[in-house]
Amino acid sequence: MLRSLADQFETSSAKYAAANGIERDADWFLLKLQEEVGELTQAWNRLTGRSRRRERTQEELDRDLADETADLLGHILLFARRNDIDLAAAIERKWRFQPAQTPEA
């Protein structure tokens, strides 16, 4: 399940990188992950009134938070894929449940 999702993110990310001349070396995956944490933090700060809202509606603020969360998830999966990390096994070990057997929301 997670590997399949990571493969889909990889396809999309590779296309984006090729179209924009981005070299995705080993450091890029971690640096991009850090960038996305910052963008999620920025969206959270706007949503919770800790930063300027930039004339964004509540709906736009909610969507920004969701979009940045999706970006962060994507880059976590890309990082794990690039580094041959078996996230399902790590989740089982650290969180003590099997993600493949968890019902989807």
Side-chain angles (χ1 to χ4, degrees), residues 52-82:
R52 289 183 300 122
R53 290 183 166 229
R54 296 185 176 173
E55 300 181 22
R56 315 261 312 148
T57 66
Q58 185 64 43
E59 183 179 308
E60 290 170 323
L61 293 169
D62 291 341
R63 187 181 64 229
D64 289 346
L65 186 67
D67 288 352
E68 296 306 333
T69 301
D71 282 350
L72 183 57
L73 174 62
H75 284 283
I76 288 170
L77 292 172
L78 288 170
F79 179 83
R81 186 180 187 282
R82 170 67 181 224

Side-chain angles (χ1 to χ4, degrees), residues 7-80:
D7 290 344
Q8 290 176 294
F9 275 103
E10 171 58 27
T11 298
S12 182
S13 178
K15 285 181 187 176
Y16 179 85
N20 292 283
I22 296 169
E23 180 185 346
R24 297 180 320 143
D25 61 8
D27 289 341
W28 180 88
F29 289 87
L30 183 58
L31 295 171
K32 192 66 178 169
L33 183 58
Q34 183 64 42
E35 177 184 338
E36 296 303 335
V37 169
E39 290 177 6
L40 178 60
T41 302
Q42 185 178 49
W44 178 255
N45 283 345
R46 269 194 233 112
L47 181 69
T48 60
R50 293 179 178 96
S51 180
R52 289 183 300 122
R53 290 183 166 229
R54 296 185 176 173
E55 300 181 22
R56 315 261 312 148
T57 66
Q58 185 64 43
E59 183 179 308
E60 290 170 323
L61 293 169
D62 291 341
R63 187 181 64 229
D64 289 346
L65 186 67
D67 288 352
E68 296 306 333
T69 301
D71 282 350
L72 183 57
L73 174 62
H75 284 283
I76 288 170
L77 292 172
L78 288 170
F79 179 83

